[in-house]
Amino acid sequence: MNSVDLAFTPALDLAQLISDRTISPLELTQLYLERIERYNPQLGSFFFIAAETAIQEAKEKTEQLIHSSNSNGLPPFFGVPTAIKDLNAVAKMPISYGVAALKENIASYDDGVTLRMKEAGFIILGKTATSQLGSFPFTEPPGFPPARNPWHLDYTPGGSSGGSAAAVAAGLCAIAQGSDGGGSVRGPAACCGLVGIKPARGRVSHAPVGDYQSGISTNGPLARTVADAAALLDVMSGYITGDPYWLPSPDISFSEATKQMSPPLKIAFCDHIPPFTHSETIVKETIQKTVHLLESFGHSLEMKCPSVETLIEPFTLIWQSAISASGLPSTVLSPLNGWFKEQEITAGEYLRAVHQLQIGSRHLVAFFDNYDVLLLPVYLHQPIKVGQWKDLSPQETLEKIINWIAPCPAFNASGLPAITLPMAQDEKGLPIGIQLVGKPADELTLIRLAAQLEKGNNLSLSIPSSVKD
């Protein structure tokens, strides 16, 4: 296997190659660091590259393998290189939250999800790019190079987990962590041709801190395959002492679900989400393609979709309030985040927004009394160009964002699980993804169905030409 093919090998397969001693953690880490050095300047996918600590850890893990006679006791991702989004803390590494003034800020602790990934055997290559404070569906924070889509460098990889998605899609790491507060895993996954999972509320801990947005956001995996994403969700999941909400572990692992046949399901679908009625033609065509494929598997499909109209205003208020919660002065914020901060709401307004969000979410969740899964677009049109909206007013930009990411935020508001996977490519070579939304706490059904779609679709995304040389 040549070095390029190795760089794009699924993470579970890499773990097996390491376990079999076909390749060492050191060799693999060196390969990815070489690719980061070569391609990150044009992609902007990493804010910080932890070359020294990654090499040291890779050497230690390689030595451990040499002196071990049995690989059976190794963690599931022993020696596999990964990356952590720069909204999440990794002890002794910078954490800027996409704010240039915080570039020298060093984390003193590991987030719970970071610690679990370390315990699973991952080697952390560095911190990936995020939009400023994770606010936007593009990754262009002032003071940092913009993140670019490996499939077409003129276009965004999405946001706010755009750096993680671009890194995985470009073969700069095997798999990565992201977070999703309004589509920030699903959108970048769709833009970059990856599998992304937004877990159900309470599945993945925010420890050792809380979240600022009443349960809207969660950590999740970005991967090349459903199996990889499910395995990383297994690693991330579980209660940590003091969590304000949590879910019991499922009856089987998420990894095991990828090996099971999906039973016939009742699936609702729509190529938009009310009250938003416009979606790009190629988005509609991809939904129809997916409908036909699901019907061929024996599932029952019905064109039906809940309205998210009552969720738009309270979600937007809660989303904007996170900027004020950061405590940062307007002088270090981007113009759009600075405008959000100026829209500060009172505590009473915030609580009323949470109340409205919960009532609207009850109606949304009730939709799933009659359906197992809802099939939707991820975004209503294909990725925008880097900098495409930079000259718009804050109000105009917000309107553009809402009308682009419309199919995503409602499922953050309601806490429902969702998974994104690629189904096609457009004429520019940009991937086109779909999302599957499930019943409360039912990632297992989504993962079984996604694995079935992945196998049946036979979409073979080539290696992006921008990172193939």
Side-chain angles (χ1 to χ4, degrees):
M1 185 184 301
N2 64 44
S3 62
V4 175
D5 289 339
L6 187 62
F8 286 86
T9 299
L12 286 172
D13 293 348
L14 291 177
Q16 188 61 54
L17 290 173
I18 291 170
S19 179
D20 294 342
R21 293 166 168 76
T22 302
I23 190 169
S24 72
L26 180 58
E27 290 170 319
L28 201 54
T29 300
Q30 288 172 329
L31 167 64
Y32 281 119
L33 287 173
E34 288 168 3
R35 289 185 62 81
I36 291 170
E37 183 178 12
R38 182 172 185 180
Y39 294 115
N40 192 61
Q42 69 183 11
L43 290 169
S45 54
F46 279 85
F47 281 168
F48 173 75
I49 302 161
E52 186 176 335
T53 57
I55 288 292
Q56 181 58 39
E57 187 174 358
K59 287 179 178 178
E60 292 171 0
K61 282 181 162 58
T62 299
E63 283 295 310
Q64 183 180 339
L65 269 182
I66 291 171
H67 295 100
S68 173
S69 59
N70 187 352
S71 300
N72 291 335
L74 293 175
F77 287 102
F78 182 85
V80 175
T82 190
I84 304 292
K85 181 180 179 181
D86 203 31
L87 290 183
N88 291 82
V90 180
K92 301 180 181 179
M93 289 190 193
I95 180 165
S96 73
Y97 309 97
V99 179
L102 299 179
K103 283 183 179 180
E104 305 304 318
N105 184 40
I106 305 298
S108 60
Y109 63 90
D110 284 325
D111 272 357
V113 70
T114 303
L115 184 59
R116 286 196 160 144
M117 289 179 70
K118 287 182 174 180
E119 290 170 345
F122 282 110
I123 295 170
I124 297 174
L125 297 173
K127 304 296 294 297
T128 56
T130 175
S131 60
Q132 190 181 78
L133 300 178
S135 300
F136 311 120
F138 42 84
T139 305
E140 305 167 23
F144 297 88
R148 295 180 180 274
N149 195 316
W151 295 100
H152 196 310
L153 295 176
D154 290 343
Y155 289 82
T156 182
S160 60
S161 304
S164 285
V168 177
L172 306 192
C173 61
I175 192 170
Q177 172 267 347
S179 56
D180 192 316
S184 289
V185 163
R186 290 163 288 162
C191 290
C192 293
L194 303 176
V195 178
I197 299 177
K198 186 205 81 68
R201 181 174 298 145
R203 181 68 68 199
V204 180
S205 175
H206 280 285
V209 295
D211 78 276
Y212 291 108
Q213 297 173 300
S214 299
I216 282 175
S217 66
T218 183
N219 294 290
L222 284 154
R224 294 193 193 96
T225 67
V226 175
D228 277 2
L232 182 49
L233 183 56
D234 281 323
V235 167
M236 291 178 166
S237 298
Y239 172 80
I240 296 178
T241 302
D243 284 345
Y245 27 73
W246 63 92
L247 295 173
S249 297
D251 294 336
I252 61 170
S253 70
F254 299 117
S255 289
E256 186 61 29
T258 66
K259 304 168 188 174
Q260 296 181 335
M261 285 290 295
S262 175
L265 300 171
K266 188 174 182 182
I267 302 172
F269 73 93
C270 195
D271 59 20
H272 60 280
I273 187 164
F276 304 91
T277 57
H278 176 74
S279 57
E280 193 174 358
T281 299
I282 198 163
V283 171
K284 295 177 181 178
E285 292 171 350
T286 303
I287 291 294
Q288 286 302 318
K289 171 188 174 180
T290 308
V291 167
H292 295 323
L293 192 56
L294 289 169
E295 287 176 332
S296 74
F297 296 152
H299 301 295
S300 174
L301 277 290
E302 181 180 345
M303 186 183 289
K304 192 80 172 179
C305 188
S307 173
V308 298
E309 187 167 10
T310 61
L311 295 172
I312 298 168
E313 182 180 355
F315 181 91
T316 303
L317 286 172
I318 294 168
W319 181 37
Q320 291 175 342
S321 71
I323 309 305
S324 295
S326 73
L328 293 170
S330 298
T331 52
V332 304
L333 298 177
S334 69
L336 186 52
N337 270 335
W339 179 74
F340 284 160
K341 184 176 173 62
E342 292 172 3
Q343 314 305 306
E344 282 185 296
I345 61 175
T346 67
E349 289 171 330
Y350 180 88
L351 290 174
R352 280 193 292 275
V354 171
H355 178 68
Q356 291 166 359
L357 202 71
Q358 291 173 346
I359 292 173
S361 294
R362 287 184 182 275
H363 291 291
L364 180 60
V365 173
F367 177 84
F368 289 85
D369 290 345
N370 298 312
Y371 300 97
D372 299 304
V373 173
L374 173 61
L375 163 66
L376 287 172
V378 182
Y379 288 163
L380 293 181
H381 59 78
Q382 282 291 84
I384 61 171
K385 285 189 172 183
V386 172
Q388 184 171 328
W389 295 342
K390 66 182 176 62
D391 294 327
L392 299 180
S393 70
Q395 297 93 325
E396 290 171 326
T397 305
L398 178 59
E399 183 179 357
K400 292 278 191 183
I401 289 171
I402 290 172
N403 282 279
W404 186 28
I405 70 168
C408 287
F411 308 109
N412 296 89
S414 58
L416 294 171
I419 186 169
T420 297
L421 68 159
M423 290 298 294
Q425 280 180 288
D426 67 15
E427 72 284 354
K428 303 183 196 75
L430 292 167
I432 309 166
I434 57 93
Q435 73 168 324
L436 305 169
V437 184
K439 292 174 178 285
D442 192 15
E443 293 97 332
L444 289 175
T445 292
L446 296 181
I447 288 169
R448 289 189 195 99
L449 185 60
Q452 186 181 42
L453 271 173
E454 180 181 60
K455 182 178 179 181
N457 187 35
N458 290 321
L459 175 66
S460 180
L461 290 173
S462 60
I463 295 169
S465 59
S466 67
V467 293
K468 197 173 184 177
D469 295 340

